[in-house]
Amino acid sequence: MRICMIGTGYVGLVTGCGLAEFGMKVTCVDKVTEKIAMLKRGEIPIYEPGLKDLVEKNVKEGRLSFSTDIPEAIRNNLVVFLAVGTPSDDGGGADLRYLFDAVDEIARNLNGYKVIAIKSTVPVGTAKRVSRRIAGRVEGAAFDVVSNPEFLREGSAVEDFLHPDRVVIGTESEQAIAIMKDIYSPLYLIETPFVITNNETAEMIKYAANTFLAAKISYINEVANICELVGADVHVVARAMGLDGRISRKFLHPGPGFGGSCFPKDTRALYHLAREKGYDPALIGSVIRVNENQKTRMVEKVKRRVGGDLSGKVIGVLGVSFKPNTDDIRESPAIFVIQRLLDAGAKVQAFDPAALGEARKVFGDAITYAANAYEVAQGADAIVLMTEWNQFRSLDLQELKGRMKTPVFVDTRNVYDPRKMEQAGFAYEGVGR
Ligand code: UGA
């Protein structure tokens, strides 16, 4: 089976490469020439564990290639996947500009029956809009639009692709279902559950799943904030809650609020969509608000610990990516916190194992970039741990303290044990304990 993947961002690249690993012949295309040039040189534009080896292997074995010739790739392939970005628009909805640009390119190059599989996260109703758009442009066009949402987590995307919890296929066309099942047949063999439904339901599944996970995080963050007021330990609360199989332990880790390219955008998009249809989604609105407030609370913790005034204070920030094992800083709580610290007149010195290059694009010379965690501590009035990279889990506390002006440690990911930190001589504060 021959597949074309339009968009070689995070989702497109991992999916294209994963499908090649399943034995498909995949051409990944993008209009950003520099990105394609990098991939052709064997360089990976994003930080994702395991991806480089998989790309290398599939290129070498002749199943994976890269190109900027989008028209040719559409004409040469039976299945065209769409994995272009759908960022938030000004009103909080999804901006479908890139998606419709790609769809128009497909319409111009439709040289026979094609399956158009939408991987990008799109508002419910988009697949039908895509169908109408192509039908309106090409008389007698033969194609099916399949909604095939992705559930990849950054940092473990390769593993998630090869061993997913489920595959969702949204279409009412028997022919398209058969083609999609064929593409994912290696998963069929390992008994991965397949959910086959209509386009709207498949589109809704993606938003409902992401919003539910985001809701779990906002819920535990809210519980953590209450724990702080009543002297309870949120970790024990979360663990005991999670032992109830109906609740499950996953996604009950309190922190500085969820970030990344998905949860913030998707919760806003579902909220926006519901309101557009005349329904006020009160719970989803609260999930978003709790998350915004949580980020601000982290800044307040630091401010309180340095005596109520951040002006002129040196704050060391450990981690800027929105989670470990990625260089992605989109909507990272760390970026929000650093900006607020700067606004309040603090001097920020930050370190991240992968994302300092991205941080530099945002902050330029406004902050100092440290070479390691200990440099972050140099002369600092406080350290704030924002991302739970493994290398921050076993820092030499005495070395760290020795370099600081005052040993204040705000741990927004609850990586350290409060008692041990106090024994080590730190004024320590976590979240909800
Ligand atoms: C998320 C979903 O987990 C994927 O299933 C989905 O496919 C993806 O969005 C997407 O829509 O493309 P991702 O954004 O990569 O994946 O990262 P997560 O691991 O879900 O973390 C999101 C944010 O929530 C991070 O900022 C993380 O620190 C935070 N989080 C997560 C918590 O604060 N507590 C938790 O218990 C879990």
Side-chain angles (χ1 to χ4, degrees):
M1 183 103 55
R2 296 177 67 96
I3 291 172
C4 151
M5 178 70 59
I6 303 186
T8 56
Y10 185 77
V11 170
L13 189 55
V14 173
T15 306
C17 182
L19 292 176
E21 181 67 14
F22 286 171
M24 308 291 124
K25 204 158 162 48
V26 183
T27 309
C28 287
V29 294
D30 204 294
K31 59 183 182 190
V32 181
T33 47
E34 178 48 29
K35 217 191 279 182
I36 295 299
M38 273 180 89
L39 287 162
K40 281 187 170 173
R41 289 197 300 269
E43 296 164 25
I44 307 295
I46 53 169
Y47 178 97
E48 184 62 42
L51 188 56
K52 192 173 191 319
D53 289 349
L54 208 64
V55 167
E56 242 165 53
K57 172 177 175 238
N58 282 284
V59 168
K60 203 163 132 215
E61 290 171 6
R63 290 186 298 270
L64 182 63
S65 61
F66 302 100
S67 166
T68 49
D69 192 340
I70 302 177
E72 186 190 59
I74 293 167
R75 288 194 300 270
N76 285 348
N77 292 288
L78 169 68
V79 184
V80 181
F81 274 86
L82 292 172
V84 296
T86 53
S88 283
D89 65 17
D90 295 341
D95 178 353
L96 297 179
R97 193 178 340 166
Y98 307 113
L99 186 94
F100 286 130
D101 283 352
V103 166
D104 292 346
E105 197 69 77
I106 295 173
R108 283 193 288 274
N109 292 283
L110 206 62
N111 57 343
Y113 174 77
K114 289 196 194 296
V115 171
I116 300 159
I118 305 180
K119 268 279 164 214
S120 307
T121 300
V122 290
V124 183
T126 302
K128 288 282 152 66
R129 280 179 69 190
V130 167
S131 291
R132 284 197 299 271
R133 195 167 169 115
I134 297 176
R137 279 167 165 70
V138 188
E139 211 179 314
F143 67 96
D144 284 306
V145 178
V146 178
S147 305
N148 179 218
E150 57 85 18
F151 301 99
L152 310 173
R153 285 165 303 173
E154 291 191 22
S156 51
V158 170
E159 179 58 25
D160 285 351
F161 186 86
L162 299 175
H163 300 100
D165 290 335
R166 75 304 212 183
V167 173
V168 174
I169 297 173
T171 175
E172 279 155 69
S173 152
E174 290 302 327
Q175 186 176 2
I177 292 170
I179 290 172
M180 294 301 286
K181 277 189 175 170
D182 206 19
I183 290 174
Y184 287 111
S185 59
L187 297 179
Y188 228 71
L189 299 177
I190 57 168
E191 296 184 7
T192 304
F194 277 55
V195 178
I196 295 175
T197 182
N198 61 20
N199 291 101
E200 291 78 3
T201 308
E203 289 168 333
M204 189 65 192
I205 287 168
K206 170 70 188 195
Y207 279 114
N210 269 7
T211 303
F212 183 77
L213 292 171
K216 276 190 97 170
I217 300 167
S218 273
Y219 180 78
I220 202 66
N221 281 339
E222 189 142 77
V223 169
N225 298 341
I226 303 171
C227 283
E228 287 179 2
L229 300 173
V230 298
D233 182 338
V234 70
H235 271 241
V236 184
V237 174
R239 181 165 173 271
M241 277 174 66
L243 289 171
D244 184 329
R246 295 169 301 176
I247 297 175
S248 122
R249 291 175 66 167
K250 291 179 182 162
F251 278 71
L252 282 184
H253 196 85
F258 55 77
S261 63
C262 306
F263 287 175
K265 167 173 80 77
D266 294 349
T267 45
R268 282 196 298 266
L270 187 57
Y271 180 79
H272 184 82
L273 179 76
R275 287 179 65 91
E276 224 175 49
K277 300 281 175 195
Y279 177 75
D280 180 26
L283 182 58
I284 300 170
S286 298
V287 168
I288 296 168
R289 244 189 345 271
V290 168
N291 198 55
E292 288 307 311
N293 294 343
Q294 193 69 6
K295 293 187 276 188
T296 306
R297 277 181 78 90
M298 300 305 116
V299 182
E300 282 162 5
K301 278 178 191 284
V302 181
K303 187 174 165 189
R304 219 175 30 246
R305 290 284 171 168
V306 297
D309 183 9
L310 282 160
S311 168
K313 295 286 183 334
V314 177
I315 312 295
V317 176
L318 290 176
V320 294
S321 57
F322 81 99
K323 63 187 248 184
N325 296 324
T326 176
D327 62 352
D328 198 339
I329 59 163
R330 283 176 287 177
E331 304 217 27
S332 170
I335 298 297
F336 175 95
V337 166
I338 292 174
Q339 189 56 58
R340 287 294 180 89
L341 292 171
L342 291 175
D343 293 346
K347 293 195 180 88
V348 173
Q349 42 201 40
F351 172 68
D352 187 286
L356 284 190
E358 292 299 311
R360 199 181 284 277
K361 291 182 195 162
V362 177
F363 296 114
D365 294 335
I367 68 172
T368 307
Y369 303 92
N372 54 53
Y374 301 104
E375 246 185 63
V376 154
Q378 202 63 45
D381 293 279
I383 283 182
V384 51
L385 190 156
M386 291 300 306
T387 318
E388 69 278 33
W389 284 91
N390 272 342
Q391 59 176 267
F392 298 155
R393 289 182 188 275
S394 49
L395 294 170
D396 179 335
L397 296 176
Q398 290 314 317
E399 160 92 33
L400 210 64
K401 200 177 80 178
R403 289 176 178 242
M404 295 178 76
K405 195 165 147 206
T406 47
V408 171
F409 198 108
V410 176
D411 180 2
T412 73
R413 299 287 185 173
N414 289 352
V415 164
Y416 285 95
D417 180 336
R419 258 170 316 166
K420 285 190 187 144
M421 289 301 277
E422 271 149 33
Q423 279 161 11
F426 282 91
Y428 173 88
E429 181 163 344
V431 178
R433 45 202 324 217

